[in-house]
Amino acid sequence: MNLQIAMLLGQDGMTNGAIYALLALSILLVFTVTRVLFIPQGEFVAFGALTMATLQAGHAPALVWLLALLAVIATIADLLAGRRDTGRYRFGTGQALRLGYPFVLIGLIQVLPLESLPMALQAALTLALVVPLGPLCYRLFYQPIANAPVLILLIVSVALHVAMVGVGLLIFGPEGARTQPFGEGGLELGPITLNAQTLWVLTASLALIVALYLFFERTLYGKALRATAVNRVGARLMGISPVFAGKASFFLAALIGALSGILIAPITTIYFDSGFIISLKGFVGSIIGGLASYPVAALGALLVGLIEAFSAFFASTYKEVIVFTLIIPFLLWRSLTSRHVEEEE
Amino acid sequence: MNLTKVAASLALASLAAASASAFAQVKVGVVSSATGPTALVGIPQKNTVPLLPKKIGDLTVEYIALDDASDPTESVKAVKKLISEEKVDAIIGPSGSPNAMGVIQFVADAGVPMLAPVGTAAVVLPMTDQKKWVFKTTQNDDIIAKALVDYMAKHNVKTLGLIGTADPYGENWAKVMAGLTDKAGIKIVASEKFNRSDNSVTGQALKIIAAKPDAVLVTAPGGPSVLPETTLYDLGYKGHMYQTHGAALPGFLKLGGKKVEGTVLAASLMLVLGEIPDSNPSKKVASEYIAAYEKLNGEKPATFGANVYDAGLLLEKAIPLAEKKGKPGTPEFRAALRDALEQTHELVGTQGVYNMSPTDHSGFDDRGREMITVKDGTWRLLK
């Protein structure tokens, strides 16, 4: 163990830790706003990475059909709900846009030369394909039971996770994929070279965290979400729609997930089911933050990444054991120091 | 009214059962991991089922294919279902090594021969009373390992680093290599483990580089075999890279790209079929299989599918022998089938020639495994 090895391990740990931190933040966001433990978060990582790889291979991603299917079902559900509540079918511009969107994308995919697009456009297209799945999932699976106990929401999350892994296998196949790196070369830093992708991951994560901070502190929508997180009933009385808050938080979660997927896809091989274990480590981070504190969750996730990298060096056989055992002392510490608050009335 | 309905349907059912047993029929269960983490292995196996022999002698063979979702618990459930409900005469599968290890006791208790297309030799070695019901249609790790170690010794490799998956595949390879390298005078200076789902193996790779081995062998099944090699490449490791037959699939070339150029592995001749001389008996069988598979599925099969195809060939040879001892569906038939499989002699399969014996339930020799390297993004035969 010398300085060079320590720095390389540190670089590796920071790269993974930054991704875990992003996921920890979005898990925390979804949980505080909607009380949903968003287990399918990892699937958005995998979907993002694999869609990017599909685009780079020049194939049309079949994910767009899933998007279209969900949009159609959501529209039907909205129409039926409108009839139940008001006795007539309502079809507003919002519905029309949502229904039309996937079909515009289908057209775009047919027309665009996917393989030769600049990487930034490929990434944008990937986000355009994956991110709308977040709000659609909320509309279809969580909105009808938004007031159910946390346990039921958790069970729905598990079911959705299993279903999405299956759909992932169907859409992307069993082979793993890697995408091309965003840039070649790297930055000389003492005895080691920070490679370009690591820099990309770190800067993008940092930028996203700053953007999220500004969003929650400075914008009305961000403040509305924070209000919902603090007190759902109070926020509702102030005119903040819980449906809007739910969809917005799922939108952000899907965005962060898909972006994380695009960021790590050049570093590692992603399979249709790789997302779960990645988001689980982000989850460990958000547990360290007590499912309440954003900065502690981000730091915790970073810590998970570093511990993972160093334990892979010292005791590779026990790496996962070490990482997931980490959660026990923190849970103990949390349960001893924090006052127990009963969520359900 | 209701009673007559029940009586009528009962009568119908028994009639159907009677007519079914009138045609002598062999039932074979197939368990594959067509979904879940091992799907890469399981899908070509599932797609091979329609190519298995449907008629052997004057017996028709019915295949009942089940998916275990790569979960060992599901494999046990599927096997129990096949044995108790379908009353199968033989089982082909499961796809994964841990899955196969988990079901051995159940097939042995029920006395059903099982043809396992799995990588690890642990399913048939060391031979026990339970494992005598298991036959393995892949090359044993030690045959591949011996070829690799011989090649390494010839090319002046003195120190070796190992990195493998933390599962029966990786464990067994570590064991086999420890024994063989000792004899060849090669020293293993680092032995590291990683998980299939890991998104980074930098730590393990650094430890291996710190030990400065002449060569590194990656022992991982399927897609995960790529990551350690590309990581070592990225960290600037300049030694020789070796892979096991676990890496022998198109995805390895696709995922690894130019970073896996020059890798040496020992694997089935199917990878380099075009370069194999016609005198090799397996060439014809393998070409037929590949052509049939391609016609059916529109793509070339991975070697994993061929292991299931070979199971069909073994049954084709053994079932007529077993038929003389008993009717299909009886314990006598299954026991006779097991004995017949054990006596398989010089049967040419897609991956080599089978010669089973009471102690060797894999039956392969050096024929069928070739030294292969990666050159210009394709598999090439090493001469």
Side-chain angles (χ1 to χ4, degrees):
Chain A
M1 182 86 182
N2 55 29
L3 182 68
Q4 188 186 4
I5 289 179
M7 285 183 77
L8 279 168
L9 287 175
Q11 171 187 351
D12 184 48
M14 293 282 275
T15 318
N16 286 325
I19 298 290
Y20 299 155
L22 285 178
L23 296 175
L25 292 182
S26 68
I27 288 171
L28 199 52
L29 167 71
V30 170
F31 182 74
T32 50
V33 175
T34 65
R35 299 175 306 139
V36 172
L37 267 182
F38 197 39
I39 297 171
Q41 175 72 56
E43 273 59 69
F44 285 96
V45 179
F47 281 18
L50 292 170
T51 306
M52 185 79 176
T54 317
L55 289 176
Q56 288 190 349
H59 302 304
L63 192 72
V64 72
W65 296 106
L66 177 70
L67 191 64
L69 181 73
L70 288 180
V72 169
I73 297 175
T75 309
I76 295 172
D78 273 358
L79 285 176
L80 290 178
R83 169 142 189 260
R84 198 183 52 224
D85 297 340
T86 61
R88 60 198 173 81
Y89 297 107
R90 283 178 313 180
F91 191 76
T93 23
Q95 266 100 348
L97 281 177
R98 183 172 66 190
L99 193 59
Y101 177 76
F103 296 96
V104 173
L105 275 183
I106 291 173
L108 264 181
I109 288 170
Q110 299 296 335
V111 179
L112 288 175
L114 300 171
E115 208 174 343
S116 53
L117 281 182
M119 205 170 282
L121 275 180
Q122 285 175 339
L125 194 56
T126 304
L127 291 179
L129 279 163
V130 179
V131 176
L133 289 175
L136 279 173
C137 280
Y138 180 78
R139 168 66 191 89
L140 287 173
F141 308 116
Y142 294 103
Q143 191 181 320
I145 51 160
N147 292 317
V150 175
L151 184 64
I152 292 183
L153 294 173
L154 175 66
I155 293 169
V156 171
S157 285
V158 174
L160 186 59
H161 156 68
V162 174
M164 281 180 76
V165 170
V167 169
L169 175 64
L170 201 66
I171 293 180
F172 300 109
E175 284 104 1
R178 267 179 118 152
T179 57
Q180 288 138 23
F182 296 168
E184 295 289 336
L187 183 71
E188 295 281 340
L189 192 75
I192 64 158
T193 317
L194 280 178
N195 59 43
Q197 195 63 31
T198 306
L199 292 173
W200 267 104
V201 171
L202 290 177
T203 41
S205 308
L206 210 61
L208 206 58
I209 288 171
V210 170
L212 280 177
Y213 174 79
L214 291 176
F215 173 73
F216 283 117
E217 291 292 323
R218 297 288 160 82
T219 67
L220 191 63
Y221 285 120
K223 283 176 182 166
L225 281 185
R226 263 174 62 212
T228 317
V230 174
N231 188 330
R232 251 176 302 280
V233 183
R236 200 170 175 179
L237 289 174
M238 293 299 114
I240 298 168
S241 150
V243 171
F244 158 75
K247 281 185 182 162
S249 59
F250 271 67
F251 174 83
L252 283 175
L255 176 71
I256 295 173
L259 206 61
S260 311
I262 295 175
L263 285 172
I264 53 165
I267 307 177
T268 181
T269 316
I270 298 280
Y271 300 85
F272 66 96
D273 62 343
S274 297
F276 178 62
I277 206 88
I278 300 175
S279 74
L280 206 57
K281 284 169 186 159
F283 184 69
V284 174
S286 48
I287 289 287
I288 292 174
L291 277 177
S293 162
Y294 286 87
V296 181
L299 286 177
L302 211 56
L303 183 74
V304 170
L306 285 170
I307 288 181
E308 191 186 29
F310 281 90
S311 57
F313 181 78
F314 288 112
S316 61
T317 321
Y318 303 107
K319 196 193 78 175
E320 303 293 35
V321 180
I322 294 171
V323 170
F324 288 114
T325 311
L326 193 68
I327 207 170
I328 295 174
F330 278 103
L331 279 177
L332 268 177
W333 170 62
R334 280 277 162 197
S335 66
L336 289 177
T337 54
S338 66
R339 205 162 45 84
H340 185 65
V341 186
E342 192 60 64
E343 242 321 298
E344 320 296 339
E345 304 66 69
Chain B
M1 164 66 191
N2 257 341
L3 215 65
T4 44
K5 242 187 192 169
V6 172
S9 54
L10 269 179
L12 256 175
S14 55
L15 207 73
S19 66
S21 58
F23 300 102
Q25 195 187 41
V26 182
K27 279 185 163 184
V28 178
V30 184
V31 182
S32 59
S33 304
T35 58
T38 333
L40 196 62
V41 176
I43 287 176
Q45 298 187 337
K46 191 195 76 180
N47 289 345
T48 301
V49 174
L51 300 175
L52 296 174
K54 288 181 194 65
K55 206 161 164 55
I56 297 175
D58 50 358
L59 297 171
T60 53
V61 189
E62 184 195 354
Y63 295 94
I64 302 142
L66 297 179
D67 175 20
D68 65 12
S70 309
D71 180 353
T73 324
E74 290 296 321
S75 309
V76 171
K77 270 198 221 157
V79 163
K80 279 184 169 167
K81 186 175 167 203
L82 287 171
I83 291 172
S84 59
E85 286 178 25
E86 304 286 354
K87 311 240 180 308
V88 294
D89 297 301
I91 290 174
I92 300 175
S95 306
S97 299
N99 308 51
M101 293 300 288
V103 301
I104 292 175
Q105 68 177 101
F106 301 103
V107 294
D109 284 353
V112 177
M114 175 169 99
L115 297 127
V118 299
T120 178
V123 292
V124 288
L125 288 173
M127 187 49 71
T128 63
D129 244 14
Q130 289 191 332
K131 288 178 184 170
K132 73 174 199 201
W133 289 94
V134 183
F135 297 86
K136 185 161 114 24
T137 58
T138 62
Q139 286 124 331
N140 275 350
D141 303 341
D142 54 348
I143 290 179
I144 305 279
K146 208 170 157 306
L148 280 174
V149 171
D150 285 350
Y151 185 87
M152 286 176 196
K154 220 189 290 169
H155 288 78
N156 274 329
V157 173
K158 292 273 175 285
T159 51
L160 180 70
L162 281 182
I163 176 162
T165 43
D167 62 10
Y169 188 88
E171 299 287 346
N172 195 58
W173 263 93
K175 218 163 38 189
V176 170
M177 285 305 285
L180 284 173
T181 48
D182 215 29
K183 273 183 237 158
I186 297 173
K187 207 162 152 266
I188 295 181
V189 290
S191 182
E192 294 295 308
K193 290 277 147 58
F194 71 105
N195 289 304
R196 174 189 170 277
S197 54
D198 281 356
N199 43 22
S200 158
V201 292
T202 308
Q204 292 93 324
L206 282 170
K207 194 144 185 200
I208 286 178
I209 292 177
K212 297 196 179 64
D214 294 336
V216 176
L217 171 67
V218 182
T219 58
S225 56
V226 182
L227 189 60
E229 187 165 347
T230 53
T231 306
L232 282 165
Y233 178 93
D234 287 338
L235 290 170
Y237 179 70
K238 292 282 183 289
H240 296 285
M241 289 300 308
Y242 292 88
Q243 287 274 0
T244 67
H245 54 328
L249 67 169
F252 178 78
L253 299 174
K254 203 177 92 190
L255 291 170
K258 61 178 192 295
K259 290 177 183 172
V260 297
E261 195 78 358
T263 310
V264 172
L265 70 161
S268 144
L269 67 131
M270 254 178 78
L271 290 184
V272 286
L273 206 56
E275 291 181 72
I276 299 289
D278 288 336
S279 58
N280 191 317
S282 293
K283 183 172 181 178
K284 188 164 157 281
V285 184
S287 315
E288 277 169 16
Y289 166 64
I290 291 174
Y293 187 98
E294 224 175 342
K295 199 170 146 209
L296 195 69
N297 298 296
E299 57 181 3
K300 276 197 178 350
T303 50
F304 311 114
N307 299 329
V308 166
Y309 187 74
D310 276 8
L313 296 178
L314 284 166
L315 286 176
E316 197 169 23
K317 193 92 176 251
I319 284 177
L321 293 176
E323 202 194 348
K324 291 176 196 147
K325 303 264 177 63
K327 266 173 73 76
T330 59
E332 295 77 43
F333 177 77
R334 296 199 295 266
L337 184 58
R338 194 208 75 83
D339 295 342
L341 283 168
E342 200 166 69
Q343 285 151 21
T344 305
H345 179 67
E346 285 291 310
L347 173 74
V348 180
T350 52
Q351 327 235 0
V353 182
Y354 292 90
N355 275 307
M356 301 279 186
S357 73
T359 49
D360 183 3
H361 273 196
S362 171
F364 277 117
D365 49 27
D366 292 351
R367 290 173 284 180
R369 65 120 176 79
E370 300 289 343
M371 295 305 295
I372 293 166
T373 186
V374 180
K375 201 173 163 200
D376 302 326
T378 56
W379 306 110
R380 296 300 292 273
L381 189 64
L382 261 182
K383 289 188 183 123

